PDB file of all heavy atoms in Angstrom:
ATOM      1  N   CYS A 591      16.919   1.023 -87.812  1.00 95.00           N
ATOM      2  CA  CYS A 591      15.795   1.632 -87.093  1.00 95.00           C
ATOM      3  C   CYS A 591      16.298   2.046 -85.720  1.00 95.00           C
ATOM      4  O   CYS A 591      16.800   1.224 -84.971  1.00 95.00           O
ATOM      5  CB  CYS A 591      14.655   0.590 -86.911  1.00 95.00           C
ATOM      6  SG  CYS A 591      13.204   1.262 -86.038  1.00 95.00           S
ATOM      7  N   ARG A 592      16.215   3.335 -85.412  1.00 93.00           N
ATOM      8  CA  ARG A 592      16.632   3.874 -84.148  1.00 93.00           C
ATOM      9  C   ARG A 592      15.589   4.748 -83.592  1.00 93.00           C
ATOM     10  O   ARG A 592      15.164   5.705 -84.245  1.00 93.00           O
ATOM     11  CB  ARG A 592      17.940   4.658 -84.287  1.00 93.00           C
ATOM     12  CG  ARG A 592      19.142   3.776 -84.477  1.00 93.00           C
ATOM     13  CD  ARG A 592      20.352   4.590 -84.616  1.00 93.00           C
ATOM     14  NE  ARG A 592      20.235   5.362 -85.863  1.00 93.00           N
ATOM     15  CZ  ARG A 592      21.113   6.174 -86.322  1.00 93.00           C
ATOM     16  NH1 ARG A 592      22.200   6.388 -85.685  1.00 93.00           N
ATOM     17  NH2 ARG A 592      20.927   6.801 -87.459  1.00 93.00           N
ATOM     18  N   GLY A 593      15.150   4.497 -82.403  1.00 95.00           N
ATOM     19  CA  GLY A 593      14.100   5.288 -81.751  1.00 95.00           C
ATOM     20  C   GLY A 593      12.785   5.373 -82.544  1.00 95.00           C
ATOM     21  O   GLY A 593      12.110   6.356 -82.530  1.00 95.00           O
ATOM     22  N   GLY A 594      12.490   4.277 -83.287  1.00 95.00           N
ATOM     23  CA  GLY A 594      11.290   4.244 -84.075  1.00 95.00           C
ATOM     24  C   GLY A 594      11.297   5.015 -85.383  1.00 95.00           C
ATOM     25  O   GLY A 594      10.280   5.227 -86.013  1.00 95.00           O
ATOM     26  N   ALA A 595      12.534   5.370 -85.813  1.00 94.00           N
ATOM     27  CA  ALA A 595      12.692   6.051 -87.105  1.00 94.00           C
ATOM     28  C   ALA A 595      13.833   5.422 -87.895  1.00 94.00           C
ATOM     29  O   ALA A 595      14.795   4.978 -87.380  1.00 94.00           O
ATOM     30  CB  ALA A 595      12.970   7.551 -86.898  1.00 94.00           C
ATOM     31  N   CYS A 596      13.582   5.351 -89.203  1.00 94.00           N
ATOM     32  CA  CYS A 596      14.653   4.834 -90.083  1.00 94.00           C
ATOM     33  C   CYS A 596      15.725   5.857 -90.204  1.00 94.00           C
ATOM     34  O   CYS A 596      15.463   7.035 -90.442  1.00 94.00           O
ATOM     35  CB  CYS A 596      14.057   4.530 -91.486  1.00 94.00           C
ATOM     36  SG  CYS A 596      12.798   3.214 -91.473  1.00 94.00           S
ATOM     37  N   ALA A 597      16.969   5.404 -90.057  1.00 93.00           N
ATOM     38  CA  ALA A 597      18.095   6.321 -90.112  1.00 93.00           C
ATOM     39  C   ALA A 597      19.335   5.621 -90.623  1.00 93.00           C
ATOM     40  O   ALA A 597      19.402   4.412 -90.647  1.00 93.00           O
ATOM     41  CB  ALA A 597      18.393   6.842 -88.669  1.00 93.00           C
ATOM     42  N   CYS A 598      20.282   6.442 -91.059  1.00 93.00           N
ATOM     43  CA  CYS A 598      21.562   5.887 -91.565  1.00 93.00           C
ATOM     44  C   CYS A 598      22.556   5.836 -90.378  1.00 93.00           C
ATOM     45  O   CYS A 598      22.466   6.699 -89.495  1.00 93.00           O
ATOM     46  CB  CYS A 598      22.145   6.791 -92.653  1.00 93.00           C
ATOM     47  SG  CYS A 598      21.124   6.895 -94.133  1.00 93.00           S
ATOM     48  N   ASN A 599      23.440   4.901 -90.397  1.00 88.00           N
ATOM     49  CA  ASN A 599      24.484   4.831 -89.347  1.00 88.00           C
ATOM     50  C   ASN A 599      25.577   5.771 -89.734  1.00 88.00           C
ATOM     51  O   ASN A 599      25.950   5.925 -90.912  1.00 88.00           O
ATOM     52  CB  ASN A 599      25.023   3.424 -89.249  1.00 88.00           C
ATOM     53  CG  ASN A 599      23.942   2.445 -88.739  1.00 88.00           C
ATOM     54  OD1 ASN A 599      23.175   2.793 -87.893  1.00 88.00           O
ATOM     55  ND2 ASN A 599      23.914   1.243 -89.310  1.00 88.00           N
ATOM     56  N   ALA A 600      26.151   6.480 -88.758  1.00 84.00           N
ATOM     57  CA  ALA A 600      27.254   7.402 -89.004  1.00 84.00           C
ATOM     58  C   ALA A 600      28.404   6.660 -89.615  1.00 84.00           C
ATOM     59  O   ALA A 600      28.637   5.521 -89.327  1.00 84.00           O
ATOM     60  CB  ALA A 600      27.663   8.018 -87.635  1.00 84.00           C
ATOM     61  N   PRO A 601      29.136   7.254 -90.521  1.00 88.00           N
ATOM     62  CA  PRO A 601      29.095   8.638 -90.979  1.00 88.00           C
ATOM     63  C   PRO A 601      28.192   8.911 -92.144  1.00 88.00           C
ATOM     64  O   PRO A 601      28.303   9.908 -92.862  1.00 88.00           O
ATOM     65  CB  PRO A 601      30.536   8.935 -91.347  1.00 88.00           C
ATOM     66  CG  PRO A 601      30.997   7.621 -91.969  1.00 88.00           C
ATOM     67  CD  PRO A 601      30.273   6.568 -91.091  1.00 88.00           C
ATOM     68  N   LEU A 602      27.259   7.987 -92.426  1.00 93.00           N
ATOM     69  CA  LEU A 602      26.405   8.079 -93.578  1.00 93.00           C
ATOM     70  C   LEU A 602      25.235   9.012 -93.407  1.00 93.00           C
ATOM     71  O   LEU A 602      24.809   9.256 -92.206  1.00 93.00           O
ATOM     72  CB  LEU A 602      25.824   6.679 -93.980  1.00 93.00           C
ATOM     73  CG  LEU A 602      26.898   5.589 -94.190  1.00 93.00           C
ATOM     74  CD1 LEU A 602      26.233   4.272 -94.503  1.00 93.00           C
ATOM     75  CD2 LEU A 602      27.897   5.992 -95.264  1.00 93.00           C
ATOM     76  N   SER A 603      24.746   9.629 -94.480  1.00 93.00           N
ATOM     77  CA  SER A 603      23.626  10.524 -94.426  1.00 93.00           C
ATOM     78  C   SER A 603      22.543  10.026 -95.421  1.00 93.00           C
ATOM     79  O   SER A 603      22.857   9.398 -96.406  1.00 93.00           O
ATOM     80  CB  SER A 603      24.008  11.949 -94.907  1.00 93.00           C
ATOM     81  OG  SER A 603      25.019  12.451 -94.082  1.00 93.00           O
ATOM     82  N   ALA A 604      21.278  10.279 -95.073  1.00 92.00           N
ATOM     83  CA  ALA A 604      20.204   9.854 -95.939  1.00 92.00           C
ATOM     84  C   ALA A 604      20.064  10.879 -97.103  1.00 92.00           C
ATOM     85  O   ALA A 604      19.829  12.047 -96.885  1.00 92.00           O
ATOM     86  CB  ALA A 604      18.900   9.814 -95.154  1.00 92.00           C
ATOM     87  N   CYS A 605      20.322  10.389 -98.305  1.00 92.00           N
ATOM     88  CA  CYS A 605      20.193  11.185 -99.519  1.00 92.00           C
ATOM     89  C   CYS A 605      19.369  10.447-100.562  1.00 92.00           C
ATOM     90  O   CYS A 605      19.806   9.339-101.017  1.00 92.00           O
ATOM     91  CB  CYS A 605      21.572  11.502-100.144  1.00 92.00           C
ATOM     92  SG  CYS A 605      22.699  12.455 -99.089  1.00 92.00           S
ATOM     93  N   GLY A 606      18.272  10.992-100.921  1.00 87.00           N
ATOM     94  CA  GLY A 606      17.425  10.337-101.945  1.00 87.00           C
ATOM     95  C   GLY A 606      17.041   8.885-101.607  1.00 87.00           C
ATOM     96  O   GLY A 606      16.958   8.048-102.496  1.00 87.00           O
ATOM     97  N   GLY A 607      16.758   8.627-100.340  1.00 85.00           N
ATOM     98  CA  GLY A 607      16.328   7.316 -99.955  1.00 85.00           C
ATOM     99  C   GLY A 607      17.437   6.261 -99.813  1.00 85.00           C
ATOM    100  O   GLY A 607      17.169   5.080 -99.676  1.00 85.00           O
ATOM    101  N   ARG A 608      18.709   6.751 -99.827  1.00 90.00           N
ATOM    102  CA  ARG A 608      19.819   5.837 -99.679  1.00 90.00           C
ATOM    103  C   ARG A 608      20.781   6.426 -98.613  1.00 90.00           C
ATOM    104  O   ARG A 608      20.796   7.620 -98.416  1.00 90.00           O
ATOM    105  CB  ARG A 608      20.630   5.712-100.996  1.00 90.00           C
ATOM    106  CG  ARG A 608      19.854   5.078-102.097  1.00 90.00           C
ATOM    107  CD  ARG A 608      20.636   4.905-103.392  1.00 90.00           C
ATOM    108  NE  ARG A 608      22.048   5.241-103.264  1.00 90.00           N
ATOM    109  CZ  ARG A 608      22.729   5.853-104.235  1.00 90.00           C
ATOM    110  NH1 ARG A 608      22.133   6.232-105.312  1.00 90.00           N
ATOM    111  NH2 ARG A 608      23.987   6.103-104.039  1.00 90.00           N
ATOM    112  N   CYS A 609      21.546   5.590 -98.015  1.00 93.00           N
ATOM    113  CA  CYS A 609      22.607   6.017 -97.059  1.00 93.00           C
ATOM    114  C   CYS A 609      23.860   6.256 -97.881  1.00 93.00           C
ATOM    115  O   CYS A 609      24.380   5.364 -98.550  1.00 93.00           O
ATOM    116  CB  CYS A 609      22.849   4.984 -95.979  1.00 93.00           C
ATOM    117  SG  CYS A 609      21.436   4.756 -94.867  1.00 93.00           S
ATOM    118  N   ILE A 610      24.360   7.509 -97.787  1.00 94.00           N
ATOM    119  CA  ILE A 610      25.504   7.916 -98.592  1.00 94.00           C
ATOM    120  C   ILE A 610      26.595   8.460 -97.675  1.00 94.00           C
ATOM    121  O   ILE A 610      26.289   9.196 -96.733  1.00 94.00           O
ATOM    122  CB  ILE A 610      25.083   9.041 -99.603  1.00 94.00           C
ATOM    123  CG1 ILE A 610      23.937   8.567-100.491  1.00 94.00           C
ATOM    124  CG2 ILE A 610      26.287   9.609-100.352  1.00 94.00           C
ATOM    125  CD1 ILE A 610      24.331   7.533-101.509  1.00 94.00           C
ATOM    126  N   ASN A 611      27.853   8.226 -98.002  1.00 96.00           N
ATOM    127  CA  ASN A 611      28.965   8.814 -97.293  1.00 96.00           C
ATOM    128  C   ASN A 611      29.269  10.133 -98.028  1.00 96.00           C
ATOM    129  O   ASN A 611      29.928  10.124 -99.053  1.00 96.00           O
ATOM    130  CB  ASN A 611      30.158   7.896 -97.239  1.00 96.00           C
ATOM    131  CG  ASN A 611      31.262   8.458 -96.342  1.00 96.00           C
ATOM    132  OD1 ASN A 611      31.338   9.618 -96.085  1.00 96.00           O
ATOM    133  ND2 ASN A 611      32.080   7.545 -95.875  1.00 96.00           N
ATOM    134  N   THR A 612      28.853  11.222 -97.436  1.00 96.00           N
ATOM    135  CA  THR A 612      29.011  12.547 -98.123  1.00 96.00           C
ATOM    136  C   THR A 612      30.470  12.994 -97.978  1.00 96.00           C
ATOM    137  O   THR A 612      30.827  14.090 -98.515  1.00 96.00           O
ATOM    138  CB  THR A 612      28.105  13.623 -97.522  1.00 96.00           C
ATOM    139  OG1 THR A 612      28.319  13.688 -96.092  1.00 96.00           O
ATOM    140  CG2 THR A 612      26.621  13.303 -97.747  1.00 96.00           C
ATOM    141  N   ASN A 613      31.347  12.238 -97.368  1.00 96.00           N
ATOM    142  CA  ASN A 613      32.769  12.565 -97.339  1.00 96.00           C
ATOM    143  C   ASN A 613      33.484  12.171 -98.633  1.00 96.00           C
ATOM    144  O   ASN A 613      34.559  12.658 -98.916  1.00 96.00           O
ATOM    145  CB  ASN A 613      33.484  11.876 -96.133  1.00 96.00           C
ATOM    146  CG  ASN A 613      33.143  12.525 -94.828  1.00 96.00           C
ATOM    147  OD1 ASN A 613      33.019  13.765 -94.787  1.00 96.00           O
ATOM    148  ND2 ASN A 613      32.944  11.737 -93.807  1.00 96.00           N
ATOM    149  N   ASN A 614      32.881  11.228 -99.389  1.00 95.00           N
ATOM    150  CA  ASN A 614      33.601  10.744-100.569  1.00 95.00           C
ATOM    151  C   ASN A 614      32.701  10.495-101.775  1.00 95.00           C
ATOM    152  O   ASN A 614      33.118   9.872-102.728  1.00 95.00           O
ATOM    153  CB  ASN A 614      34.448   9.527-100.273  1.00 95.00           C
ATOM    154  CG  ASN A 614      33.636   8.360 -99.757  1.00 95.00           C
ATOM    155  OD1 ASN A 614      32.443   8.284 -99.919  1.00 95.00           O
ATOM    156  ND2 ASN A 614      34.278   7.405 -99.139  1.00 95.00           N
ATOM    157  N   ASP A 615      31.443  10.896-101.714  1.00 95.00           N
ATOM    158  CA  ASP A 615      30.515  10.694-102.820  1.00 95.00           C
ATOM    159  C   ASP A 615      30.461  11.914-103.673  1.00 95.00           C
ATOM    160  O   ASP A 615      30.003  13.006-103.243  1.00 95.00           O
ATOM    161  CB  ASP A 615      29.098  10.317-102.276  1.00 95.00           C
ATOM    162  CG  ASP A 615      28.155   9.939-103.361  1.00 95.00           C
ATOM    163  OD1 ASP A 615      27.712  10.854-104.152  1.00 95.00           O
ATOM    164  OD2 ASP A 615      27.801   8.749-103.472  1.00 95.00           O
ATOM    165  N   ALA A 616      30.898  11.850-104.944  1.00 95.00           N
ATOM    166  CA  ALA A 616      30.985  12.995-105.824  1.00 95.00           C
ATOM    167  C   ALA A 616      29.639  13.581-106.177  1.00 95.00           C
ATOM    168  O   ALA A 616      29.540  14.756-106.478  1.00 95.00           O
ATOM    169  CB  ALA A 616      31.769  12.647-107.109  1.00 95.00           C
ATOM    170  N   ALA A 617      28.604  12.854-106.074  1.00 96.00           N
ATOM    171  CA  ALA A 617      27.250  13.334-106.399  1.00 96.00           C
ATOM    172  C   ALA A 617      26.601  14.016-105.161  1.00 96.00           C
ATOM    173  O   ALA A 617      25.611  14.764-105.280  1.00 96.00           O
ATOM    174  CB  ALA A 617      26.330  12.208-106.869  1.00 96.00           C
ATOM    175  N   ASN A 618      27.102  13.759-103.981  1.00 97.00           N
ATOM    176  CA  ASN A 618      26.627  14.293-102.722  1.00 97.00           C
ATOM    177  C   ASN A 618      27.802  14.692-101.839  1.00 97.00           C
ATOM    178  O   ASN A 618      27.955  14.121-100.772  1.00 97.00           O
ATOM    179  CB  ASN A 618      25.699  13.303-102.021  1.00 97.00           C
ATOM    180  CG  ASN A 618      24.544  12.854-102.872  1.00 97.00           C
ATOM    181  OD1 ASN A 618      23.573  13.564-102.970  1.00 97.00           O
ATOM    182  ND2 ASN A 618      24.620  11.686-103.514  1.00 97.00           N
ATOM    183  N   CYS A 619      28.575  15.593-102.237  1.00 97.00           N
ATOM    184  CA  CYS A 619      29.853  15.902-101.555  1.00 97.00           C
ATOM    185  C   CYS A 619      29.615  16.960-100.480  1.00 97.00           C
ATOM    186  O   CYS A 619      29.334  18.103-100.753  1.00 97.00           O
ATOM    187  CB  CYS A 619      30.874  16.428-102.594  1.00 97.00           C
ATOM    188  SG  CYS A 619      32.503  16.555-101.872  1.00 97.00           S
ATOM    189  N   GLY A 620      29.767  16.523 -99.210  1.00 96.00           N
ATOM    190  CA  GLY A 620      29.595  17.449 -98.072  1.00 96.00           C
ATOM    191  C   GLY A 620      28.146  17.537 -97.646  1.00 96.00           C
ATOM    192  O   GLY A 620      27.882  17.735 -96.492  1.00 96.00           O
ATOM    193  N   SER A 621      27.226  17.419 -98.626  1.00 96.00           N
ATOM    194  CA  SER A 621      25.767  17.452 -98.284  1.00 96.00           C
ATOM    195  C   SER A 621      25.037  16.787 -99.448  1.00 96.00           C
ATOM    196  O   SER A 621      25.592  16.704-100.584  1.00 96.00           O
ATOM    197  CB  SER A 621      25.287  18.857 -98.047  1.00 96.00           C
ATOM    198  OG  SER A 621      25.477  19.633 -99.223  1.00 96.00           O
ATOM    199  N   CYS A 622      23.800  16.409 -99.222  1.00 96.00           N
ATOM    200  CA  CYS A 622      23.005  15.783-100.254  1.00 96.00           C
ATOM    201  C   CYS A 622      22.773  16.740-101.431  1.00 96.00           C
ATOM    202  O   CYS A 622      22.495  17.920-101.258  1.00 96.00           O
ATOM    203  CB  CYS A 622      21.635  15.382 -99.686  1.00 96.00           C
ATOM    204  SG  CYS A 622      21.777  14.140 -98.400  1.00 96.00           S
ATOM    205  N   GLY A 623      22.988  16.219-102.645  1.00 96.00           N
ATOM    206  CA  GLY A 623      22.748  16.987-103.857  1.00 96.00           C
ATOM    207  C   GLY A 623      23.825  17.913-104.284  1.00 96.00           C
ATOM    208  O   GLY A 623      23.771  18.518-105.345  1.00 96.00           O
ATOM    209  N   ASN A 624      24.933  18.016-103.521  1.00 96.00           N
ATOM    210  CA  ASN A 624      26.050  18.873-103.844  1.00 96.00           C
ATOM    211  C   ASN A 624      26.996  18.091-104.758  1.00 96.00           C
ATOM    212  O   ASN A 624      27.849  17.379-104.256  1.00 96.00           O
ATOM    213  CB  ASN A 624      26.758  19.415-102.649  1.00 96.00           C
ATOM    214  CG  ASN A 624      27.873  20.372-103.016  1.00 96.00           C
ATOM    215  OD1 ASN A 624      27.699  21.186-103.888  1.00 96.00           O
ATOM    216  ND2 ASN A 624      29.007  20.252-102.297  1.00 96.00           N
ATOM    217  N   ALA A 625      26.810  18.189-106.057  1.00 96.00           N
ATOM    218  CA  ALA A 625      27.639  17.395-106.990  1.00 96.00           C
ATOM    219  C   ALA A 625      28.899  18.133-107.373  1.00 96.00           C
ATOM    220  O   ALA A 625      28.916  19.344-107.572  1.00 96.00           O
ATOM    221  CB  ALA A 625      26.859  17.108-108.277  1.00 96.00           C
ATOM    222  N   CYS A 626      30.020  17.378-107.414  1.00 94.00           N
ATOM    223  CA  CYS A 626      31.312  17.961-107.849  1.00 94.00           C
ATOM    224  C   CYS A 626      31.345  18.079-109.345  1.00 94.00           C
ATOM    225  O   CYS A 626      30.705  17.268-110.050  1.00 94.00           O
ATOM    226  CB  CYS A 626      32.438  17.040-107.409  1.00 94.00           C
ATOM    227  SG  CYS A 626      32.672  16.933-105.649  1.00 94.00           S
ATOM    228  N   PRO A 627      32.062  19.059-109.892  1.00 91.00           N
ATOM    229  CA  PRO A 627      32.255  19.137-111.318  1.00 91.00           C
ATOM    230  C   PRO A 627      32.851  17.870-111.876  1.00 91.00           C
ATOM    231  O   PRO A 627      33.527  17.152-111.117  1.00 91.00           O
ATOM    232  CB  PRO A 627      33.201  20.366-111.501  1.00 91.00           C
ATOM    233  CG  PRO A 627      32.974  21.153-110.270  1.00 91.00           C
ATOM    234  CD  PRO A 627      32.696  20.191-109.143  1.00 91.00           C
TER     235      PRO A 627
END
């Protein structure tokens, strides 16, 4: 909780209600929902 809002800690991003590292997640590569082949 930061500033009264739920947020992920860097370098994680909020994707589908979870904190995801878009630097190494094949289902969310670079951005949420960008799946690798």
Side-chain angles (χ1 to χ4, degrees):
C591 181
R592 286 182 292 182
C596 297
C598 297
N599 295 321
L602 305 178
S603 300
C605 296
R608 296 182 7 219
C609 291
I610 302 290
N611 188 338
T612 58
N613 286 322
N614 61 18
D615 187 287
N618 300 283
C619 190
S621 63
C622 296
N624 184 41
C626 294

